[in-house]
Amino acid sequence: MEHIANALKPLEPVYAQLKELLAPLAPFHEKMSQKVLGPFNYYTVAVLIFQLVTAILPSFFSFGPKVEASHILVKEESKIKELQSILEKSPEKFEDLAKEHSTCPSGKQGGKLGKFSKGQMVSEFDMYCFSPSTKVDAVSPIIRTKFGYHLIKVTTKPN
């Protein structure tokens, strides 16, 4: 229960604004709640908003361990193999290669995706990033997802 209360804390300002916005509707609300909606109060509205927000913005309410990673995404297998061979010789070029070749919008930032929890990325991506055998700052083998071919570099992992 405390977990839910802590998750709802960021919504307190929204709840206060919502209560203020809905104040003129109080007489109507009373009649509707008695005849149509049943027990419907501001707490119920806050819970509904929380459910909507968590459905729309899962990264805002992500729980569990997080990793930080960068990646290079391309559509062609031949291109990712070419990039992989360059990185085998010069892993320090990862950021530059991401800026130059990645088709993901994160490529502009050197492929940096920031921190994320398990379940926020496609399963193949998560499997690599959250695997106990994945080494920090090592370049992954080629990983294929529905978006294309990736080379991933996990930059931070939980202990």
Side-chain angles (χ1 to χ4, degrees):
M1 199 62 175
E2 185 179 317
H3 182 68
I4 294 170
N6 288 336
L8 285 173
K9 279 192 193 286
L11 290 176
E12 285 177 1
V14 174
Y15 173 76
Q17 287 178 340
L18 183 64
K19 191 173 180 179
E20 188 178 315
L21 284 170
L22 295 177
L25 299 175
F28 176 73
H29 172 265
E30 281 182 36
K31 287 181 184 174
M32 287 301 290
S33 64
Q34 291 168 0
K35 296 185 182 200
V36 180
L37 301 173
F40 191 80
N41 57 32
Y42 292 111
Y43 175 77
T44 308
V45 172
V47 170
L48 289 172
I49 290 171
F50 175 75
Q51 290 174 339
L52 285 171
V53 169
T54 57
I56 295 168
L57 302 170
S59 61
F60 185 71
F61 287 101
S62 59
F63 302 106
K66 293 184 179 201
V67 297
E68 190 168 2
S70 298
H71 78 136
I72 299 171
L73 170 65
V74 296
K75 296 285 183 197
E76 306 84 28
E77 187 175 10
S78 59
K79 185 66 174 176
I80 204 74
K81 285 181 178 180
E82 177 188 324
L83 296 172
Q84 184 182 41
S85 66
I86 294 169
L87 289 169
E88 284 172 355
K89 297 171 190 148
S90 307
E92 71 280 357
K93 292 184 177 180
F94 191 94
E95 192 173 321
D96 293 331
L97 290 173
K99 286 179 182 176
E100 188 177 338
H101 299 284
S102 185
T103 58
C104 180
S106 69
K108 293 175 184 162
Q109 291 84 39
K112 293 178 184 163
L113 296 167
K115 291 186 178 187
F116 54 90
S117 298
K118 198 169 197 172
Q120 290 184 263
M121 301 293 179
V122 291
S123 62
E124 301 89 347
F125 206 96
D126 270 358
M127 283 173 42
Y128 176 76
C129 292
F130 289 93
S131 169
S133 61
T134 298
K135 305 259 187 275
V136 172
D137 291 327
V139 178
S140 73
I142 296 169
I143 296 176
R144 184 175 183 202
T145 69
K146 64 182 179 181
F147 299 107
Y149 298 91
H150 304 258
L151 291 172
I152 304 168
K153 183 167 76 168
V154 173
T155 52
T156 60
K157 282 182 82 170
N159 296 335

